[in-house]
Amino acid sequence: LQYKRSHLAPFHFIDPFEKQYRSIRNQSIISASLEMAIPVIDFSKLEGKERGETLARIANGCEDWGFFQLVNHGIPVELLERVKKVCSECYRLRAEGFKTSKTVQLLNKLVEEKGNAADAKRLDNVDWEDVFLLQDDNEWPANPPEFRETMKEYREELRKLAEKVMEVMDENLGFEKGSIKNAFSGNGEHQPFFGTKVSHYPPCPRLDLVNGLRAHTDAGGVILLFQDDQVGGLQILKDGQWIDVQPVANAIVINTGDQIEVLSNGRYKSVWHRVLTTSDGNRRSIASFYNPSLKATIAPGTNKDDSATTLYPKYAFGDYMDVYVKQKFLAKEPRFAAVRAV
């Protein structure tokens, strides 16, 4: 997502998982097995007698997976159906533009030059993705006519859900209620960033030569994804193995970003994830990011047991973003080291 800030330097891509990626591709691994399915949690059970068990399941999702899926999360199915409809229609109106995009041109050129040659080098600096961003103050697509009203309503629901999820994290981490939101807003002095990335991953003719979305961790806080319930492709890296985030109808996928890792002092981890290209099906992906303000100060939080050694530095989130945009597709540990030195 693009923050309003001075020009940021471009990054140089190095894929830390290239060999593993090629191996997994060659083995045609689609999913790891049912035993490795991403947790699916009924969020409504927080309000009943199963609250304790549900809190524990969310804690497990944050600590052991970095990803989990929420069902019965309170967002009306009727609204989700409208979101699917307007985003799919919006892409239909944009599809011709993707066909002439830089990514498609680069792939066509590579195929023309190399064909099926064994030494054809993957396009490791682009993604097979049509994408645009929605923020409170940027320009939104004018068509279809229902797009703006529908997505505004959806974003408000997602913002509320994100804050509920952060309150659950507060409780599980032993923080005072509202601690994560306060950290993101500088104790109310600044507005946290909330943006929505609307992506489509069209069918790709050469799965071996281009990524859907390159492996990375997310820079910010809490990410809420409404993913396609028909076309898969999203994977996370767990215990050295890429695992599918299985499509679940009308679920919201939650993952924790780098700043939640810091605030939790490493108890919660931001997790490497990627999107594979597919030869058929047009994957829709609507990811909303509840992130700190650029002016917010981020540091490990404290709880009742505040004697734990601090594992991460204290820094302004804007300084972290300056580093992240250059190193998004690299290991995250050097990012923390770099911002420690600022």
Side-chain angles (χ1 to χ4, degrees):
L1 290 171
Q2 300 297 313
Y3 286 82
K4 289 187 174 179
R5 194 170 172 86
S6 59
H7 278 309
L8 301 172
F11 55 78
H12 298 285
F13 173 75
I14 299 174
D15 185 353
F17 301 117
E18 181 175 359
K19 291 182 179 179
Q20 185 174 22
Y21 181 95
R22 289 179 184 274
S23 173
I24 288 173
R25 270 293 195 198
N26 292 338
Q27 296 172 37
S28 300
I29 291 179
I30 302 302
S31 63
S33 72
L34 292 177
E35 292 83 44
M36 292 294 279
I38 306 299
V40 178
I41 301 170
D42 186 339
F43 202 55
S44 68
K45 290 186 177 180
L46 279 174
E47 305 303 322
K49 60 183 181 181
E50 297 180 51
R51 176 176 175 80
E53 180 183 344
T54 305
L55 284 170
R57 294 195 68 200
I58 293 173
N60 171 260
C62 293
E63 293 178 16
D64 293 346
W65 291 85
F67 270 73
F68 55 93
Q69 304 203 53
L70 294 182
V71 296
N72 296 325
H73 39 61
I75 301 174
V77 171
E78 177 273 334
L79 173 58
L80 295 177
E81 290 298 326
R82 282 193 284 129
V83 169
K84 293 179 190 178
K85 181 179 178 180
V86 298
C87 288
S88 295
E89 176 64 15
C90 190
Y91 174 74
R92 189 186 68 81
L93 298 172
R94 294 168 54 90
E96 289 302 316
F98 180 76
K99 292 177 183 178
T100 60
S101 66
K102 176 184 176 183
T103 300
V104 174
Q105 291 176 20
L106 288 172
L107 181 60
N108 288 340
K109 181 180 179 182
L110 179 61
V111 171
E112 288 172 6
E113 293 177 351
K114 292 289 187 177
N116 293 317
D119 64 342
K121 184 174 176 59
R122 288 179 60 83
L123 294 174
D124 279 335
N125 60 348
V126 294
D127 301 305
W128 191 262
E129 176 188 37
D130 176 82
V131 60
F132 60 90
L133 307 173
L134 304 176
Q135 298 171 213
D136 289 338
D137 57 355
N138 72 334
E139 185 175 352
W140 292 22
N143 288 302
E146 306 85 6
F147 182 87
R148 177 177 291 275
E149 179 181 350
T150 299
M151 294 306 292
K152 181 178 179 182
E153 182 180 351
Y154 172 73
R155 277 169 46 81
E156 285 308 308
E157 292 290 334
L158 261 290
R159 199 189 311 253
K160 290 186 288 186
L161 179 59
E163 292 178 352
K164 290 178 183 176
V165 169
M166 290 191 296
E167 288 182 357
V168 171
M169 291 179 180
D170 286 332
E171 185 171 350
N172 278 333
L173 290 167
F175 294 167
E176 291 185 7
K177 184 177 180 178
S179 292
I180 295 176
K181 181 180 178 181
N182 286 339
F184 284 7
S185 66
N187 292 317
E189 293 184 13
H190 312 293
Q191 186 69 29
F193 176 86
F194 188 73
T196 300
K197 174 187 171 188
V198 180
S199 301
H200 282 82
Y201 302 91
C204 179
R206 291 296 301 267
L207 309 186
D208 57 323
L209 294 181
V210 66
N211 305 284
L213 180 62
R214 288 161 283 172
H216 64 287
T217 66
D218 288 321
V222 175
I223 298 85
L224 306 94
L225 171 67
F226 183 31
Q227 71 165 341
D228 202 298
D229 55 14
Q230 300 294 322
V231 183
L234 175 62
Q235 296 185 323
I236 70 168
L237 188 67
K238 178 172 172 58
D239 301 328
Q241 186 174 16
W242 288 104
I243 307 298
D244 280 349
V245 179
Q246 68 275 17
V248 175
N250 298 318
I252 300 295
V253 181
I254 306 294
N255 74 279
T256 49
D258 295 347
Q259 308 316 304
I260 294 295
E261 178 170 330
V262 173
L263 288 169
S264 70
N265 200 29
R267 185 169 163 185
Y268 297 169
K269 298 290 187 182
S270 60
V271 172
W272 285 90
H273 53 284
R274 69 183 185 185
V275 177
L276 302 181
T277 48
T278 58
S279 57
D280 55 4
N282 181 19
R283 175 181 168 81
R284 179 185 59 253
S285 173
I286 306 164
S288 296
F289 299 76
Y290 196 113
N291 290 353
S293 161
L294 289 174
K295 296 179 180 179
T297 298
I298 303 298
T302 57
N303 55 25
K304 298 169 185 176
D305 178 22
D306 58 5
S307 60
T309 301
T310 297
L311 303 177
Y312 297 82
K314 179 179 180 180
Y315 53 83
F317 181 58
D319 290 337
Y320 186 82
M321 286 304 300
D322 285 343
V323 175
Y324 180 84
V325 295
K326 304 170 190 174
Q327 302 181 14
K328 176 177 179 178
F329 302 107
L330 305 179
K332 62 186 172 182
E333 289 77 13
R335 300 200 290 260
F336 295 129
V339 82
R340 185 190 299 270
V342 172

